Amino acid sequence: MIRNILLNQNKKYLIAVSGGPDSMCLLNLCKKNIALVCHVNYNKRASAMRDENIVKQYCKKNRIKLKILNVTKIIYDQYKKNNFEHIAREIRYDFFYKCAKAINNFNILIAHNLDDFVETAIMQEEKKSKSLFYGIKQISFHHGLNIYHPLINYRKKELKKYCIEHDIIFGIDETNFSDLFYRNRIRKENAKLPAKKFNELISKFNKYNQNNRILYQQVNKYYLKWRQKQYLDTYFLSLNKKYWYHLVYILLSENNIASISSNKINGIIQFIVNGKNNKSYRIGNETFLTKK
C-alpha cells in the first residue's frame, strides 16, 4: 500500500506528468494539492499523443489546470547538444521553470521512484562519480526549482499496481524496452534481479550515502550560502580547500552540465582562484562561467 508520501498538505505544487504509471499515480495521490500539471510531448514516438490525451482527460475530469509543451524542430534546434536525453532534460526543466515563474510557485513534484534511485546510483558508480550522494534525493534544488520526490521509496511495480487498483488510465513508453539508451539497459537488467539482490543494491548505496552524510551536510550548507551570495569568489576562497571540489561539483550538477570530470572541476577551481575579471571559462557546449 502506498502511504506516508512526503507532502505538505498546506502547500500547492506544480507536477510533471508524462502519462505513465508513475506520474499518474502521483497525480492521483496529490490532486488536491496541485496548482498546475506540466506535460511535455517530445513528438518522438508513436504513443506520444496517446499519453498527452491521457493527461488531458484526467485533468479535465478533475478540473486541474494543465500546461502542455509540444516540442517542435524549432525548439530542438535551440539546444546545441547531440545527446537526446540531455536535450530532453534541458527542454523539460526550462519548461517547468517557465511554468513555475508564470504562477510564482517554484515547488514541483516529480514521480521518480526507487527503481530510478537505483538506476541513477548504478550510473554514478560506474562513472566513478565524485558525488557525495548516490541516487536521487527526496528533496533537491535544480534549475531554479524546489524538486520533491514523494515516491522515491516505492518500486515502479507498486505504482503500476496502484493505478490498476484505482482504475487510473496510464500509458507505457515503448522506448523503455529499447537498448538505445544507457539507462534503459540498466533498467532492463534490474528488472530481472530477484528482490534480495535489488535490496542489496539499495543497502549498498544507502551505506555509501550514510558514510558521506556529515561531509555532504557541511558542503550543502556552504553551497547554499555560496548560491545566496550569487557565487561570490571571495566567499568560495574563504572556505577550507577540502570543500572546493564538492562545491563545484554541485554547481555543475544543478546547472545540468554533462560530463562532469575531475579535470573540469579542477580547471574551474583554478579559474576561480586565478581567473581575471571579465574572463570566461567554457564548461559546456554553449555554457561559460564568467568572472566579473
Side-chain angles (χ1 to χ4, degrees):
M1 181 182 295
I2 298 176
R3 59 188 185 279
N4 299 327
I5 63 172
L6 181 67
L7 190 70
N8 185 334
Q9 296 300 324
N10 297 318
K11 289 177 69 173
K12 292 286 187 180
Y13 301 84
L14 288 79
I15 182 172
V17 181
S18 67
D22 309 353
S23 59
M24 291 305 296
C25 171
L26 182 58
L27 176 58
N28 196 66
L29 285 165
C30 305
K31 59 186 176 184
K32 293 181 181 178
N33 293 86
I34 301 305
L36 180 67
V37 169
C38 305
H39 175 79
V40 180
N41 184 339
Y42 296 103
N43 290 301
K44 286 290 187 180
R45 53 188 171 87
S47 58
M49 188 53 66
R50 175 206 65 193
D51 291 349
E52 179 179 319
N53 287 330
I54 287 172
V55 179
K56 277 182 179 178
Q57 290 169 13
Y58 184 95
C59 291
K60 183 178 180 181
K61 179 180 177 181
N62 292 276
R63 297 180 180 179
I64 302 173
K65 291 182 179 180
L66 169 65
K67 188 73 173 177
I68 296 173
L69 174 65
N70 267 289
V71 187
T72 63
K73 185 180 183 301
I74 294 174
I75 294 175
Y76 279 120
D77 289 345
Q78 295 173 9
Y79 294 81
K80 309 295 184 181
K81 291 187 177 182
N82 296 323
N83 186 303
F84 173 74
E85 288 182 300
H86 291 158
I87 293 174
R89 180 177 171 82
E90 286 199 19
I91 287 173
R92 65 176 173 268
Y93 276 99
D94 283 348
F95 173 60
F96 296 158
Y97 181 78
K98 184 177 179 180
C99 291
K101 191 173 181 181
I103 65 172
N104 194 31
N105 184 336
F106 297 90
N107 302 304
I108 187 166
L109 306 178
I110 295 181
H112 286 135
N113 54 63
L114 192 55
D115 294 77
D116 296 320
F117 172 94
V118 172
E119 290 162 17
T120 301
I122 289 173
M123 291 168 70
Q124 290 171 306
E125 183 182 52
E126 290 185 352
K127 292 178 181 178
K128 295 181 171 57
S129 169
K130 300 294 185 180
S131 174
L132 295 174
F133 187 95
Y134 276 5
I136 299 172
K137 295 184 279 290
Q138 283 193 326
I139 303 174
S140 60
F141 180 87
H142 179 74
H143 217 88
L145 299 165
N146 300 308
I147 301 172
Y148 299 84
H149 299 109
L151 301 179
I152 201 65
N153 293 317
Y154 294 96
R155 293 210 63 179
K156 192 178 191 74
K157 59 186 178 183
E158 296 178 89
L159 310 182
K160 186 176 179 180
K161 182 180 177 182
Y162 173 93
C163 289
I164 293 171
E165 290 176 345
H166 291 80
D167 296 320
I168 301 168
I169 299 173
F170 60 86
I172 298 295
D173 182 350
E174 64 272 19
T175 62
N176 286 337
F177 305 104
S178 166
D179 288 333
L180 183 62
F181 300 116
Y182 175 39
R183 180 181 286 274
N184 287 357
R185 295 195 292 271
I186 294 175
R187 182 172 297 159
K188 288 173 70 175
E189 291 173 8
N190 286 351
K192 301 174 186 176
L193 291 176
K196 182 180 178 181
K197 290 291 185 182
F198 188 83
N199 290 334
E200 287 174 358
L201 285 174
I202 295 171
S203 296
K204 179 178 73 171
F205 295 129
N206 283 341
K207 183 178 180 180
Y208 175 90
N209 293 338
Q210 183 63 27
N211 290 340
N212 288 311
R213 183 176 60 85
I214 294 175
L215 179 57
Y216 173 79
Q217 289 175 342
Q218 291 172 331
V219 170
N220 195 54
K221 179 181 70 174
Y222 293 134
Y223 182 78
L224 291 175
K225 287 185 179 179
W226 192 33
R227 192 171 69 200
Q228 289 171 358
K229 293 177 180 291
Q230 298 182 314
Y231 304 103
L232 193 65
D233 58 343
T234 51
Y235 175 76
F236 178 92
L237 296 171
S238 72
L239 299 173
N240 191 308
K241 290 183 180 180
K242 71 178 183 180
Y243 301 123
W244 288 5
Y245 188 99
H246 301 296
L247 289 169
V248 173
Y249 181 91
I250 298 175
L251 173 67
L252 296 177
S253 297
E254 278 198 357
N255 288 280
N256 203 29
I257 302 301
S259 303
I260 304 176
S261 65
S262 294
N263 287 340
K264 179 177 288 186
I265 292 174
N266 289 325
I268 291 169
I269 291 172
Q270 290 305 309
F271 174 70
I272 294 173
V273 174
N274 300 316
K276 296 180 180 180
N277 285 342
N278 298 318
K279 295 294 182 179
S280 295
Y281 186 95
R282 185 173 180 170
I283 59 173
N285 287 346
E286 299 292 330
T287 309
F288 297 82
L289 286 178
T290 302
K291 194 169 185 179
K292 295 185 177 180

